[in-house]
Amino acid sequence: MAKPLKVDEVWMERIVGLLNEMEFGSLSIVVHEGQIVQMERTERKRYENTPSGKSRASSAGNTTRTSAGPRVVR
């Protein structure tokens, strides 16, 4: 039987912080034995050429990963 997931205020702040910093992308949360052990964030940016020659950012392109190691939650 699976252990219930334990998410304290610290982990909630980390999750919300990573999501708030992202405009387009995904957040993957890895759980081991009922505890969060890692988070990976993938964010994309696309740069398009405009008629004036300047680049404009939108979505799709760069990748950023952030991970947090194991932590005992009580």
Side-chain angles (χ1 to χ4, degrees):
M1 185 169 173
K3 292 185 178 183
L5 179 63
K6 297 176 185 177
V7 182
D8 66 7
E9 191 62 34
V10 173
W11 278 109
M12 289 301 294
E13 289 175 12
R14 290 176 180 169
I15 293 167
V16 169
L18 289 172
L19 291 172
N20 282 336
E21 295 170 1
M22 187 181 341
E23 187 174 3
F24 299 98
S26 62
L27 178 64
S28 174
I29 300 172
V30 179
V31 176
H32 180 71
E33 294 183 359
Q35 294 184 5
I36 296 173
V37 294
Q38 181 175 328
M39 294 189 295
E40 293 182 4
R41 180 180 72 179
T42 302
E43 186 170 7
R44 301 187 181 275
K45 296 189 185 293
R46 177 179 296 146
Y47 300 93
E48 300 174 10
N49 290 328
T50 61
S52 64
K54 295 181 181 178
S55 293
R56 192 177 75 190
S58 65
S59 66
N62 293 341
T63 301
T64 304
R65 289 191 178 178
T66 304
S67 34
R71 182 175 177 278
V72 177
V73 180
R74 296 177 191 199

